[in-house]
């Protein structure tokens, strides 16, 4: 009976060690797979960050371009207003000259 119990204990210990060995292999495999998945997620996150940086750079470039265009538009508006004022003065002078010419004819 003693030998049988000792044999059973030894078999159970070996089964335990074998199971632990299988678990270690399984956990190692799981850890490797999780590592690969984690690395894929890191690559994906990095790609998204790069894309975001490019989009932000494009937005900044677009904002600078918009400011430049607003500046040009403001300058064009000021120039047009100045030309309109000059034209208005020219029209006033022409009207005054026409009145003088008409006055001379009469």
């Amino acid at each position: 009976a003693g030998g049988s119990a000792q044999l059973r204990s030894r078999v159970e210990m070996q089964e335990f060690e074998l199971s632990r060995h299988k678990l270690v292999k399984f956990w190692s495999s799981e850890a490797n797979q999780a590592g690969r998945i984690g690395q894929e997620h890191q690559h994906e996150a990095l790609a998204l960050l790069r894309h975001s940086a490019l989009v932000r750079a494009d937005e900044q470039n677009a904002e600078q371009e918009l400011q430049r265009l607003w500046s040009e538009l403001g300058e064009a508006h000021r120039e047009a207003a100045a030309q309109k004022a000059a034209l208005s003065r020219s029209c006033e002078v022409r009207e005054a000259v026409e009145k003088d010419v008409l006055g001379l004819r009469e």
Side-chain angles (χ1 to χ4, degrees), residues 42-60:
Q42 285 177 342
H43 287 296
E44 185 178 345
L46 183 59
L48 289 172
L49 284 173
R50 284 181 179 150
H51 178 71
S52 295
L54 290 174
V55 167
R56 180 66 181 135
D58 286 345
E59 286 174 357
Q60 287 176 336

Side-chain angles (χ1 to χ4, degrees), residues 16-60:
F16 174 76
E17 289 296 323
L18 182 61
S19 294
R20 197 167 77 183
H21 180 69
K22 286 181 181 177
L23 278 176
V24 168
K25 277 187 167 182
F26 175 75
W27 288 337
S28 178
S29 173
E30 289 285 314
N32 286 338
Q33 185 177 0
R36 283 191 302 275
I37 291 171
Q39 197 170 22
E40 288 172 11
H41 288 304
Q42 285 177 342
H43 287 296
E44 185 178 345
L46 183 59
L48 289 172
L49 284 173
R50 284 181 179 150
H51 178 71
S52 295
L54 290 174
V55 167
R56 180 66 181 135
D58 286 345
E59 286 174 357
Q60 287 176 336

Side-chain angles (χ1 to χ4, degrees), residues 79-97:
E79 187 176 318
Q83 287 178 358
K84 183 178 177 183
L87 178 62
S88 178
R89 284 190 299 277
S90 293
C91 286
E92 290 172 1
V93 170
R94 186 194 61 166
E95 287 175 8
V97 169

